[in-house]
Amino acid sequence: MKAASEYNSAILKDSMTETAQTEPANSLPQPSPCNECPSGLMHLRFITYFTWLDEELVTVPNFPAWGCDVSGRREYDAKASSWLTMLLSPN
C-alpha cells in the first residue's frame, strides 16, 4: 500500500502544480465546473475504486476522482487511471 499512497501524493502534487502558481503549496486543486449539470462543481475526492481483473474483484483505496456536488457525476483522475491500467495489465 505504500506505493499507492506515494502515488496519491504525486497525483495531488501534480494537480496542484497545474493550478494557479499563486496559491499556497498545501491547498487542494480548485473545483471545476461540472460537464453534466449547469450548477455543480467537480471536487477532488479520494474514493475506493472497484474493478474486475478476469474473475477477481480488485479494490483500490484512496483512488483520486473528481465528483460533482450536485449531479453526483464522477470522473476518475486520468493519470491515476493510466497508472492503474499499467499495473493491472501484465502485457
Side-chain angles (χ1 to χ4, degrees):
M1 286 289 102
K2 182 179 178 184
S5 64
E6 288 174 359
Y7 181 73
N8 285 342
S9 296
I11 288 293
L12 186 57
K13 184 177 179 183
D14 285 349
S15 296
M16 287 189 299
T17 57
E18 292 172 3
T19 59
Q21 295 296 324
T22 58
E23 292 182 40
N26 60 355
S27 69
L28 290 174
Q30 293 298 311
S32 60
C34 178
N35 294 328
E36 188 170 294
C37 68
S39 59
L41 291 175
M42 301 291 281
H43 296 272
L44 179 63
R45 295 189 169 98
F46 293 94
I47 62 163
T48 300
Y49 180 81
F50 297 90
T51 189
W52 288 95
L53 182 60
D54 296 325
E55 295 183 12
E56 292 187 47
L57 180 63
V58 176
T59 61
V60 182
N62 301 319
F63 196 80
W66 294 88
C68 177
D69 57 0
V70 175
S71 68
R73 178 183 174 89
R74 183 179 295 158
E75 296 177 6
Y76 300 109
D77 184 85
K79 289 181 183 179
S81 296
S82 175
W83 178 75
L84 183 62
T85 301
M86 182 183 68
L87 283 177
L88 297 178
S89 299
N91 297 333

